[in-house]
Amino acid sequence: MHQNYPVSTPIQLSQTLKALRHAAGLSQEEVGMLLGVNQQRVARIEAKPERASFEQISRLICALGGRLMLEVVPQQQANQQRAGSW
């Protein structure tokens, strides 16, 4: 069974990355060792994912046992979906 984590903002992505790491039972240092980067780099990506590249985010999610899937929704459709969620 898998779970989806819809993300629309950098803050949501930051929270999701931290939650995935905690669920995997890994520290930032352990994730850094898996990726070949230091703990500070992992902390920066978690804190400000909008400053990381798509590849870096994807590699981090894969290291945490996830898979990154991108969905692009036209703005009008996104607005209609939000309006319908009330």
Side-chain angles (χ1 to χ4, degrees):
M1 184 167 114
H2 71 281
Q3 185 163 350
N4 291 326
Y5 297 92
V7 173
S8 298
T9 66
I11 291 171
Q12 290 174 333
L13 180 55
S14 175
Q15 294 167 342
T16 299
L17 292 173
K18 291 173 190 174
L20 287 172
R21 180 173 54 78
H22 289 290
L26 298 171
S27 68
Q28 289 177 340
E29 185 175 359
E30 291 168 323
V31 173
M33 289 181 353
L34 289 171
L35 295 172
V37 300
N38 61 32
Q39 176 272 329
Q40 292 86 359
R41 182 66 188 135
V42 175
R44 283 193 302 268
I45 293 171
E46 284 185 358
K48 298 281 186 180
E50 68 273 19
R51 294 185 178 174
S53 71
F54 185 84
E55 180 182 355
Q56 291 169 334
I57 298 291
S58 180
R59 287 184 61 222
L60 176 56
I61 290 171
C62 287
L64 297 173
R67 186 177 83 183
L68 180 62
M69 296 175 66
L70 179 66
E71 179 181 52
V72 178
V73 179
Q75 188 62 38
Q76 184 179 15
Q77 183 178 347
N79 291 340
Q80 289 171 350
Q81 288 174 349
R82 276 187 288 235
S85 66
W86 286 85

